[in-house]
Amino acid sequence: MTDGSFRLPSGGRIDRTRTLTFTFDGTEYIGHPGDTLASALLANGVHHVATGIKYGRPRGIVSAGGEEPSALVQIEAPFPEPMLTATTVELYDGLVARGLRGQGRLAAEPDPARYDTMHAHCDVLVVGGGPAGLDEALTAARSGARVLLVDDQPQLGGSLLGMPKAPEAPDAKAAELADLPNVRILTRTTAFGRYDDNLVLALEKRTDHLGTAAPANVSRQRVWRIRAKQIVVATGAHERPVVFADNDRPGIMLAGAARAYLHRFGVIPGRRIAVFTTNDSAYAAALELADAGVRIAAVVDARDQAPDAWVRQCRERGIDILPGQTVCGTSGDTRITAIHLTSGTEIPCDTLLVSGGWNPAVHLFGQARGELRYEPGLGAFVPGEPLPDVRAVGSANGDHLDFAGRVLWAVPDPANAGFVDLQRDATVADVLRATGAGLTSVEHVKRYTTIGTAHDQGKTSGVIASGIVAEALGVDIADLGTTTFRPPFTPVAFAALAGRDRGALFDPVRVTALHPWHVAHGALFENVGQWHRPWYYPRPGETLEAAVLRECRAARESVALMDGSTLGKIDVRGPDAGIFLDRVYTNIMSTLKIGSVRYGVMCGVDGMILDDGTVMRVTDDEFVLTTTTGNAAKILEWMEEWLQTEWPELRVHLTSVTEHWVTIPLVGPRSRDVLGSLAPALDVSNEAFPFMTWRDATVAGIPARVCRISFSGELAYEINVVGWDGLTVWEALIEAGAPYGITPYGTETMHVLRAEKGYPIIGQDADGTVTPQDLGMSWVISKKKPDFIGKRSFTREENTRTDRKQLVGLLPVDERVLLPEGAQLVAVDALHEPPVPMLGHVTSSYRSAALGRTFALALLRSGRERVGDTVYATLDDGSVTPVTVTDSVLFDKEGARRDG
């Protein structure tokens, strides 16, 4: 075990009374509560943390916060998690991590942690708990406003935590805020995005710092959805690095970060440290480290003259100052060993602190569409005019960053390219290559070079890249601007965004009231939309093919039943219901009589079929329509959109009643006998109960609505009862049908039965490019109505072409061949060199008990003109097989079986 040889004997805000053990790259180390992984590594003398993704160069720790561009790690235990910055991982006992080489790995097992979401409303949201944020929060709270203060650190104080002696007491102000009833404080919480209407999303890391000691009943992370009347951005500023040759070696660190490690963690980054700066701020780091016993090799100041006050203090400590010089290169392998100056001087060191100025953290202000302005004295972009509901304060507003001086954008020799974006391994040469190719926008350069597209989103590289582009193009950086600030401000795990919406809560499995019966009787299921529907009911040793053929024979020869409850059902009510339905369906619905049912088709504005189903009229002002299972929600939303945005004058209300009703299709020649035995008061004769009508009746002692509808071509009824009574009626039907061998069937059999009759399934035989005419359903388009959705598009030249794909039937010449669904149809008997002219494709393909062979439905170019012709279908092995084109109705063309 390695001890903390770079840890000072006192100081910092860590708990030295407790020791934590962690493992990094296979070596065991110790740290203390309050450490980050980065501070603990530095305390143990570990600088080489990661490897550059493009060139494979060693990389170290650059910063002390979320702006870290380089030190990416993979957490291996207690749960695998990639792409984390060592500077933001709080140390806990038992942590196992490794330096990131490449892109890390996702966990193979489910994450056992919990994640959730909270909503909050406030008058004032203060983002940042530094000196400016604390003052703003106190001022607002003392006025009686509801205040929410969020800060990404474990304790409030911001930049004050990284100073040797805070000029103000952050702890006292934090304590006062905590005692106020109108204030909520969220630490370890990062506001990562500002959206419309002052919605701010923030991520709270609740138990990340506890590791395996985290309570199982507490969520690991929480996303806060905050609605604020006013947002105060007090997010401080990020220090900029400086670009020079070999500026990516481990041991090269931001000067402000070194101060933070010294005063927050009691850690020194090296024994012999050089400092390279373009402004005043790095001098404080040099002096404070010298006072801690560190040898400062030199302070290299790019400005022609160093400030007298800093010069005096450095002389008192024996620190050499080299003004008017710059670092042009470094030496070292896995850690820096020396710096090279433009004067030719080489200075040995084990650490180099750099400071190229400061960038106000204006990301939230920018996300709110706040305008930025360039401040030459800072070499940075600062917020312009405050927005009505968002304003920046403190360093985020450019205050207290009055370090005048030249900003060093690039090295004198661009060919000796330094790194601009350490994570993307993007160099000055990459930027100049982009401008040389004619790119003049920073947005285009960003995408060409990938600068600013990594986990840190260009916090340390973005403004530097703008400066290099401006210099290369000879334009003012103020006019060039920066790239757009977009959320998230820092990476957010998908698990946190999902919250509790995972597994069944992310994609809920919907089951019908009859589901327990299906399970008990061995049904296998398929997903249709979000529904678990019975696929088929295999008997012991029975294959899918055998089971479906058996179920089909029962429906065609005797009686069968299925669970059709998943059909979308929408109640349409109001004085204008008939008018509305006439506008959304291609045929007329307003003339439908009470007690009758009509098939209808809906089209989009482009004339393509959107959905189909039936409409029954219940009263003068009430209709109930059905949709396909997968389109139920889509059609309801689509109809609501038309009602609310195009026809708000119509007095119509829509209600989904899909789950209110259990629907049981009872199918087959003996279905009338079974229904009649359970509904003795219902006259089930053809004369009294004709096709496409409905009747209210009592079935098995349960009030029911029975419809004469058939999706199989057989005599059939659809029995609708309220959900609570569904299982009672289903079991009664099973018992009553037992003498006839009643058989439950699933969706696969349903597909075969309807395909034999040429009934298309929307989404399978119609794919969004098909009109009713293409399906041979011109009869469903009213010629009397003045208008309906999609009517105008039917006259478009494209929709009237005679060579459009049309629905047809296919019979393989070899009756045993089952065509693959999706198979291409061609006119040639062998596939030659491409391109091969495609005529269409197979949409449905089955083996039929009624036909005694295989068959298929297809969309074929000029299909109805090709009936009787031979075309060829491609098979999975790359060969083709001949098929005969037929009419789409392959069974009972006369429809004689419909009435029994």
Side-chain angles (χ1 to χ4, degrees):
M1 183 181 297
T2 305
D3 64 5
S5 57
F6 287 81
R7 180 91 67 183
L8 296 177
S10 62
R13 291 174 172 263
I14 57 172
D15 181 1
R16 294 175 181 267
T17 65
R18 295 169 53 207
T19 298
L20 303 177
T21 301
F22 70 100
T23 302
F24 184 77
D25 279 349
T27 301
E28 195 172 77
Y29 301 96
I30 61 171
H32 299 282
D35 264 324
T36 63
L37 177 57
S39 68
L41 289 173
L42 291 173
N44 287 278
V46 179
H47 279 258
H48 182 192
V49 173
T51 301
I53 192 170
K54 184 176 180 181
Y55 299 115
R57 293 165 64 98
R59 293 286 162 76
I61 297 165
V62 175
S63 76
E67 70 273 24
E68 174 61 41
S70 182
L72 288 177
V73 298
Q74 166 87 39
I75 301 299
E76 298 290 4
F79 184 78
E81 193 169 3
M83 301 291 289
L84 299 179
T85 50
T87 55
T88 59
V89 174
E90 292 190 53
L91 196 67
Y92 52 83
D93 200 49
L95 172 66
V96 178
R98 62 174 174 83
L100 197 61
R101 294 163 178 81
Q103 298 178 336
R105 70 175 183 90
L106 295 174
E109 63 272 20
D111 187 349
R114 294 171 56 187
Y115 302 83
D116 62 13
T117 300
M118 288 287 287
H119 294 259
H121 294 75
C122 61
D123 297 316
V124 180
L125 168 65
V126 180
V127 182
L134 288 171
D135 288 342
E136 289 288 334
L138 277 172
T139 300
R142 289 166 180 166
S143 72
R146 294 176 301 162
V147 176
L148 178 55
L149 173 62
V150 303
D151 189 85
D152 64 345
Q153 296 300 312
Q155 57 191 125
L156 301 179
S159 61
L160 301 179
L161 302 178
M163 295 183 179
K165 188 177 293 185
E168 300 177 24
D171 296 339
K173 293 183 178 182
E176 181 181 350
L177 284 168
D179 287 339
L180 294 175
N182 55 326
V183 175
R184 171 182 277 164
I185 299 173
L186 296 176
T187 55
R188 295 188 173 93
T189 303
T190 302
F192 63 82
R194 188 272 183 191
Y195 303 86
D196 292 345
D197 301 320
N198 256 18
L199 170 66
V200 173
L201 297 189
L203 179 69
E204 179 187 11
K205 295 182 177 180
R206 307 183 70 201
T207 66
D208 286 47
H209 61 292
L210 299 177
T212 54
N217 61 341
V218 176
S219 59
R220 177 191 176 199
Q221 295 178 0
R222 172 178 285 169
V223 171
W224 286 83
R225 303 177 62 87
I226 305 166
R227 293 283 184 183
K229 293 181 180 178
Q230 290 284 327
I231 299 174
V232 178
V233 179
T235 45
H238 296 137
E239 194 169 16
R240 277 195 304 268
V242 186
V243 180
F244 49 86
D246 295 324
N247 64 326
D248 63 328
R249 295 191 194 282
I252 300 177
M253 179 184 296
L254 294 170
R259 291 187 78 192
Y261 287 117
L262 175 64
H263 299 300
R264 290 188 60 184
F265 307 106
V267 169
I268 57 173
R271 306 283 186 198
R272 181 183 174 91
I273 297 178
V275 179
F276 177 32
T277 185
T278 67
N279 61 84
D280 289 4
S281 64
Y283 281 90
L287 297 176
E288 291 159 12
L289 284 166
D291 292 342
V294 175
R295 181 177 178 183
I296 305 300
V299 175
V300 181
D301 195 327
R303 299 172 293 185
D304 293 332
Q305 184 173 353
D308 292 339
W310 292 115
V311 171
R312 183 174 61 255
Q313 295 183 68
C314 286
R315 285 175 179 169
E316 292 173 355
R317 294 165 176 82
I319 299 173
D320 292 334
I321 299 178
L322 305 176
Q325 298 196 48
T326 61
V327 175
C328 61
T330 65
S331 298
D333 185 10
T334 58
R335 182 171 179 179
I336 187 173
T337 58
I339 61 172
H340 307 281
L341 307 185
T342 50
S343 63
T345 303
E346 178 179 316
I347 301 176
C349 62
D350 61 6
T351 305
L352 173 63
L353 307 184
V354 298
S355 179
W358 296 80
N359 295 327
V362 295
H363 300 69
L364 287 178
F365 185 83
Q367 291 170 16
R369 298 295 184 263
E371 294 291 333
L372 304 180
R373 62 178 177 83
Y374 184 71
E375 177 54 56
L378 299 178
F381 288 88
V382 300
E385 292 296 320
L387 299 173
D389 50 12
V390 181
R391 61 188 176 90
V393 298
S395 298
N397 196 42
D399 301 337
H400 317 302
L401 299 178
D402 54 346
F403 307 116
R406 180 171 68 91
V407 176
L408 194 65
W409 299 122
V411 293
D413 180 10
N416 192 3
F419 286 90
V420 178
D421 189 321
L422 296 179
Q423 176 56 25
R424 290 303 190 202
D425 269 4
T427 66
V428 174
D430 294 325
V431 178
L432 298 181
R433 189 178 301 113
T435 57
L439 302 181
T440 59
S441 164
V442 288
E443 295 285 5
H444 294 161
V445 173
K446 172 182 178 178
R447 285 150 182 81
Y448 185 96
T449 63
T450 70
I451 290 174
T453 62
H455 66 281
D456 61 326
Q457 289 292 287
K459 292 180 179 65
T460 58
S461 61
V463 175
I464 294 177
S466 292
I468 297 172
V469 172
E471 186 175 283
L473 298 177
V475 300
D476 192 331
I477 188 175
D479 298 327
L480 185 71
T482 65
T483 54
T484 303
F485 296 105
R486 295 185 176 90
F489 174 71
T490 53
V492 179
F494 285 122
L497 294 175
R500 300 194 180 189
D501 297 334
R502 56 194 292 187
L505 294 179
F506 171 69
D507 188 12
V509 174
R510 303 173 72 183
V511 296
T512 72
L514 305 179
H515 186 76
W517 190 95
H518 304 318
V519 173
H521 289 79
L524 297 181
F525 296 88
E526 71 169 340
N527 294 324
V528 182
Q530 291 180 321
W531 290 97
H532 246 27
R533 297 195 68 181
W535 184 19
Y536 64 104
Y537 298 80
R539 292 176 177 172
E542 199 173 41
T543 64
L544 166 64
E545 178 181 314
V548 171
L549 290 174
R550 172 178 53 77
E551 292 172 8
C552 286
R553 278 192 290 269
R556 293 289 186 212
E557 298 172 5
S558 183
V559 63
L561 78 172
M562 77 170 296
D563 185 354
S565 307
T566 64
L567 282 175
K569 295 174 277 290
I570 301 173
D571 186 273
V572 183
R573 298 192 188 200
D576 299 322
I579 297 172
F580 172 68
L581 294 178
D582 282 350
R583 294 182 184 180
V584 298
Y585 281 98
T586 61
N587 48 342
I588 297 177
M589 296 298 176
S590 59
T591 60
L592 193 61
K593 296 180 179 179
I594 296 172
S596 294
V597 183
R598 185 167 292 163
Y599 174 79
V601 167
M602 297 180 184
C603 290
V605 293
D606 57 0
M608 305 302 161
I609 292 182
L610 197 64
D611 202 65
D612 71 341
T614 60
V615 176
M616 70 171 71
R617 190 163 201 164
V618 181
T619 68
D620 287 338
D621 293 346
E622 181 185 359
F623 298 78
V624 175
L625 61 91
T626 65
T627 72
T628 54
T629 294
N631 274 346
K634 173 183 175 181
I635 293 302
L636 178 61
E637 180 182 9
W638 182 75
M639 293 169 68
E640 282 284 11
E641 180 180 355
W642 282 94
L643 268 181
Q644 295 182 31
T645 64
E646 301 298 327
W647 308 317
E649 73 281 359
L650 294 183
R651 296 164 295 171
V652 178
H653 295 279
L654 308 176
T655 305
S656 172
V657 294
T658 300
E659 291 170 307
H660 295 196
W661 297 92
V662 163
T663 301
I664 305 172
L666 185 66
V667 178
R670 307 308 297 263
S671 59
R672 179 176 286 131
D673 299 320
V674 175
L675 178 61
S677 68
L678 293 177
L682 175 65
D683 188 343
V684 294
S685 66
N686 284 324
E687 296 75 20
F689 196 173
F691 185 62
M692 297 303 279
T693 62
W694 65 269
R695 300 288 184 266
D696 281 338
T698 299
V699 179
I702 303 297
R705 179 168 293 162
V706 184
C707 306
R708 270 287 308 276
I709 299 173
S710 177
F711 195 48
S712 61
E714 297 293 330
L715 173 67
Y717 303 87
E718 287 188 1
I719 304 166
N720 298 274
V721 296
V722 296
W724 301 111
D725 298 322
L727 186 58
T728 299
V729 173
W730 175 274
E731 290 179 334
L733 290 168
I734 292 289
E735 183 179 355
Y740 310 105
I742 193 168
T743 301
Y745 68 93
T747 54
E748 191 67 16
T749 294
M750 174 194 71
H751 289 163
V752 177
L753 298 175
R754 63 87 197 170
E756 291 170 343
K757 293 291 294 180
Y759 298 155
I761 288 184
I762 307 305
Q764 180 168 334
D765 301 300
D767 58 4
T769 66
V770 177
T771 67
Q773 296 93 330
D774 297 334
L775 296 183
M777 295 167 56
S778 298
W779 53 269
V780 83
I781 302 172
S782 172
K783 296 180 176 58
K784 299 178 181 179
K785 292 195 298 184
D787 200 11
F788 54 84
I789 298 173
K791 180 177 182 179
R792 178 178 61 86
S793 295
F794 291 150
T795 60
R796 293 176 60 241
E797 182 178 352
E798 171 64 23
N799 289 357
T800 58
R801 287 190 1 245
T802 57
D803 64 341
R804 285 183 61 82
K805 292 181 181 179
Q806 298 166 341
L807 186 69
V808 296
L810 298 177
L811 294 176
V813 172
D814 184 342
E815 298 181 357
R816 299 167 299 175
V817 173
L818 183 65
L819 302 179
E821 291 184 347
Q824 292 295 313
L825 300 174
V826 298
V828 294
D829 60 358
L831 297 181
H832 303 291
E833 290 298 319
V836 177
M838 303 297 178
L839 302 178
H841 68 279
V842 175
T843 60
S844 301
S845 180
Y846 307 103
R847 198 174 303 276
S848 168
L851 300 177
R853 54 162 303 139
T854 60
F855 75 102
L857 297 179
L859 288 172
L860 182 66
R861 195 170 300 282
S862 303
R864 286 190 286 274
E865 297 178 5
R866 297 179 186 268
V867 171
D869 292 351
T870 297
V871 296
Y872 298 86
T874 59
L875 299 178
D876 292 338
D877 62 3
S879 64
V880 296
T881 189
V883 296
T884 302
V885 181
T886 71
D887 184 77
S888 59
V889 182
L890 293 108
F891 179 75
D892 186 29
K893 293 180 183 292
E894 300 76 19
R897 303 178 65 88
R898 186 192 69 191
D899 292 329

